[in-house]
Amino acid sequence: MSSTPHIMDGKTIAEQVMAEIALEVQAWTLAGGRPPHLAAIIVGQDGASQTYVGHKVKACARVGFRSTRIDLPEETTQEQLLRTVRQLNQDPEIDGFIVQLPLPKHLSEAEVIEAIDPRKDVDGFHPSNVGRMSAGLPCFLPATPAGILELLRRYQVQTAGKHCVVLGRSNIVGKPMAALLAQKGWDCTVTLCHSRTQGLEEHCQRADIIVAALGVPRFVKAHMVKPGAVVIDVGITREPDASRAAGFRLVGDVDFEPVREKASLITPVPGGVGAMTIVSLLKNTLLAARKEIFR
Ligand code: GUN
């Protein structure tokens, strides 16, 4: 699928899926639907969040979606943010929206997420969508785990009966990833490791599939990886790099070059999971526009 053996080329797969979505948008609008419309709220000036939201908005244009970006200042109050969320809940022109995380420390993410109408919660973060996912009901799947599943599917990775180690227990990636891989259809035996796990290296050494989502650069070393394992790297830490125009480079949670020698498949950073995450968000927005999850 990729010109380089072993590399799971998220960028190329994402292009393919985006072309598929663009065709679906065409069919939808030809049949009289209006273009799907995604809104993104971003609070403050965090550089990484600005970049991610920029990518999401650009991706919308490429598949024929409308998008609206709402930039709020760092000092926005909880009440002001909730008001903006409620406005989007009620706006019939908006099919789905996200509140980019993390929020500034004075704001409650949990309260903001709960205020989002689950029917427009295209991030899949609302407790209603999390519960529905857990119960195996139709729902908006969180974008990063859904993007990883799409990569596994397109590279025909066999998951049934395999031992998958998920590193990190965030609400956005680790917890939903572990739950989804254990579900019928994926059928993995899942071990969820976190900062308090004992024997983490030994768990990793027994893994057929490792999903690294801890946010610790180069955490997964070659000696932790079984020969032939599939290694998915969700990390995207910015490290200062004066030789780059941006002043930084992106580093994953996997010590890429040595681990690549042992893995049968591995995702690079950048060019792996990140692009797939955006594609999943677009898919959810299309589902929201067509009212396919909540009728
Ligand atoms: N921050 C990091 N990943 C995500 C994501 O998928 N959605 C939102 N809203 N914020 C994020």
Side-chain angles (χ1 to χ4, degrees):
M1 197 154 297
S2 145
S3 54
T4 320
H6 304 321
I7 301 290
M8 296 174 97
D9 183 353
K11 200 160 177 255
T12 300
I13 302 289
E15 297 284 337
Q16 288 171 9
V17 183
M18 285 187 39
E20 293 165 16
I21 295 172
L23 284 176
E24 293 205 43
V25 173
Q26 263 184 12
W28 173 250
T29 51
L30 278 174
R34 56 164 178 65
H37 188 174
L38 174 73
I41 303 175
I42 177 163
V43 185
Q45 292 300 319
D46 177 71
S49 291
Q50 295 281 336
T51 305
Y52 302 148
V53 171
H55 287 321
K56 291 171 185 179
V57 165
K58 260 196 211 130
C60 282
R62 291 192 45 211
V63 297
F65 287 8
R66 282 182 68 195
S67 66
T68 297
R69 175 178 171 143
I70 300 170
D71 281 89
L72 300 175
E74 180 82 23
E75 47 301 344
T76 299
T77 65
Q78 183 78 8
E79 201 39 56
Q80 284 166 333
L81 179 52
L82 289 173
R83 209 175 307 137
T84 307
V85 166
R86 289 186 202 114
Q87 277 165 4
L88 293 178
N89 282 344
Q90 278 155 20
D91 186 341
E93 293 288 312
I94 302 288
D95 296 300
F97 66 97
I98 65 163
V99 180
Q100 187 66 25
L101 304 179
L103 290 171
K105 293 221 170 355
H106 66 280
L107 298 171
S108 158
E109 290 184 355
E111 193 184 17
V112 169
I113 288 168
E114 261 204 279
I116 298 173
D117 183 334
R119 294 169 296 187
K120 295 192 177 189
D121 169 39
V122 286
D123 257 333
F125 292 168
H126 189 281
S128 162
N129 276 306
V130 177
R132 293 174 68 90
M133 179 196 72
S134 194
L137 295 169
C139 64
F140 295 115
L141 291 179
T144 301
I148 291 169
L149 293 179
E150 188 70 40
L151 260 188
L152 293 174
R153 192 182 293 121
R154 300 223 177 200
Y155 276 88
Q156 297 174 6
V157 173
Q158 299 302 311
T159 56
K162 303 293 183 187
H163 180 210
C164 181
V165 167
V166 178
L167 301 174
R169 54 178 155 178
S170 69
N171 288 337
I172 295 184
V173 185
K175 274 194 271 178
M177 187 80 264
L180 288 165
L181 283 166
Q183 279 185 355
K184 274 209 187 333
W186 295 99
D187 300 312
C188 285
T189 303
V190 178
T191 302
L192 177 57
C193 296
H194 48 76
S195 53
R196 303 297 296 271
T197 295
Q198 294 182 357
L200 183 143
E201 294 202 353
E202 289 75 15
H203 288 305
C204 287
Q205 285 158 355
R206 284 193 299 274
D208 302 302
I209 301 168
I210 296 177
V211 179
L214 335 80
V216 180
R218 303 181 192 85
F219 180 88
V220 177
K221 305 289 188 206
H223 74 271
M224 295 159 68
V225 177
K226 182 163 85 173
V230 174
V231 180
I232 308 289
D233 191 348
V234 186
I236 30 161
T237 304
R238 291 180 167 199
E239 276 192 349
D241 183 346
S243 72
R244 307 248 176 147
F248 65 85
R249 67 178 167 243
L250 295 177
V251 186
D253 288 353
V254 175
D255 194 12
F256 183 78
E257 285 302 337
V259 171
R260 174 187 184 169
E261 300 297 320
K262 291 183 86 176
S264 61
L265 282 171
I266 185 168
T267 61
V269 176
V273 171
M276 296 302 297
T277 295
I278 294 181
V279 158
S280 302
L281 177 66
L282 298 176
K283 278 195 163 183
N284 279 347
T285 306
L286 182 60
L287 291 173
R290 298 196 302 214
K291 309 248 182 297
E292 286 187 30
I293 305 288
F294 298 90
R295 288 174 182 278

